[in-house]
Amino acid sequence: QTVVTQEPSFSVSPGGTVTLTCGLTSGSVSTTHSPSWYRQTPGQPPRTLIYSTNARSSGVPDRFSGSILGNKAALTITGAQADDESNYYCVLYLGSGIWMFGGGTKLTVL
Amino acid sequence: EVQLVESGGGLVQPGGSLRLSCAASGFTFSSYWMTWVRQAPGKGLEWVANIKHDGSSKYYVDSVKGRFTISRDNAKNSLYLQMNTLRAEDTAVYYCARWELAMGQYYYIDVWGRGTTVTVSS
């Protein structure tokens, strides 16, 4: 069975740039998988960041951007801030009505 | 204000049943696909089930097929998840959420509830 993959953890320095990725164990991610990205801090519901690969949700700063990089969907954060420290999740449409979240990336800003 | 409020969570013994509800407000509920997403303690998000605007199509993650049933009552602006034969691994916070359609072809979740906690334990 195809699984959606994400880096378990990532670290970035304040002011730095980081790219998180969202892949598939079988095949390449494309726009047809309708990639979207969410962030979540402990005890809170997720918040939508990016949809349709690269569109920013309302109120999301332009420091956050989405793209397809190679065979994966990507979320890039530029000018990282302390409050970007969070868990980031992608979700992909796998076809036949089935969706799957990646395992999430815990981002540390230090 | 667009809002989703879940209820119905609680402690249940393995093999038991529970019915979750989600009350929607602030939007035309009958126009949207809806979904349940869960999160086990200390774990990531897991998509559980989807239901079409009119309830005519339903989809489930393999691990809940045959045990969980998603349904909706558009007249009551409500979404439900009937959970039977519950297992310890079903222990999670269950979020109700709304699918939005962008550019006529790309779906994404744009509204989340705050979740309701289900604990399966003896």
Side-chain angles (χ1 to χ4, degrees):
Chain A
Q1 181 193 351
T2 299
V3 173
V4 178
T5 63
Q6 294 185 249
E7 299 86 359
S9 62
F10 230 116
S11 180
V12 62
S13 300
T17 296
V18 62
T19 296
L20 312 181
T21 68
C22 176
L24 292 168
T25 53
S26 177
S28 299
V29 176
S30 71
T31 57
T32 60
H33 291 97
S34 197
S36 53
W37 292 88
Y38 307 84
R39 67 182 287 180
Q40 186 188 34
T41 52
Q44 297 297 318
R47 175 194 173 189
T48 307
L49 290 176
I50 299 289
Y51 63 93
S52 305
T53 303
N54 56 13
R56 270 185 296 277
S57 187
S58 176
V60 174
D62 58 9
R63 302 187 295 105
F64 294 86
S65 62
S67 63
I68 298 290
L69 280 182
N71 62 350
K72 297 181 179 181
L75 173 70
T76 299
I77 307 171
T78 58
Q81 300 177 359
D83 62 3
D84 293 334
E85 195 161 285
S86 191
N87 293 303
Y88 291 84
Y89 296 93
C90 67
V91 69
L92 300 177
Y93 179 61
L94 301 185
S96 302
I98 304 301
W99 292 81
M100 184 178 289
F101 282 91
T105 297
K106 181 173 183 175
L107 180 67
T108 302
V109 181
L110 51 73
Chain B
E1 179 192 4
V2 174
Q3 198 170 12
L4 298 170
V5 179
E6 303 91 338
S7 61
L11 174 64
V12 61
Q13 292 188 341
S17 297
L18 211 55
R19 188 196 195 206
L20 305 184
S21 299
C22 171
S25 60
F27 65 100
T28 305
F29 180 71
S30 59
S31 297
Y32 290 86
W33 282 77
M34 297 296 295
T35 189
W36 289 98
V37 173
R38 68 183 179 183
Q39 186 169 35
K43 302 296 185 182
L45 301 173
E46 180 182 34
W47 171 77
V48 174
N50 274 1
I51 186 167
K52 195 176 179 180
H53 332 83
D54 60 1
S56 62
S57 294
K58 304 174 185 181
Y59 301 95
Y60 301 90
V61 67
D62 282 348
S63 59
V64 308
K65 277 182 187 174
R67 300 188 301 123
F68 289 12
T69 301
I70 189 172
S71 63
R72 64 192 298 161
D73 185 337
N74 287 341
K76 295 182 177 180
N77 292 331
S78 293
L79 177 72
Y80 306 102
L81 187 67
Q82 177 66 44
M83 304 185 295
N84 298 331
T85 320
L86 282 160
R87 306 167 179 165
E89 54 265 35
D90 296 318
T91 294
V93 175
Y94 284 74
Y95 294 103
C96 165
R98 183 180 85 171
W99 287 102
E100 175 64 278
L101 179 63
M103 305 171 198
Q105 62 181 117
Y106 301 117
Y107 281 95
Y108 68 104
I109 294 174
D110 71 329
V111 180
W112 298 79
R114 297 201 63 81
T116 187
T117 300
V118 173
T119 303
V120 184
S121 175
S122 55

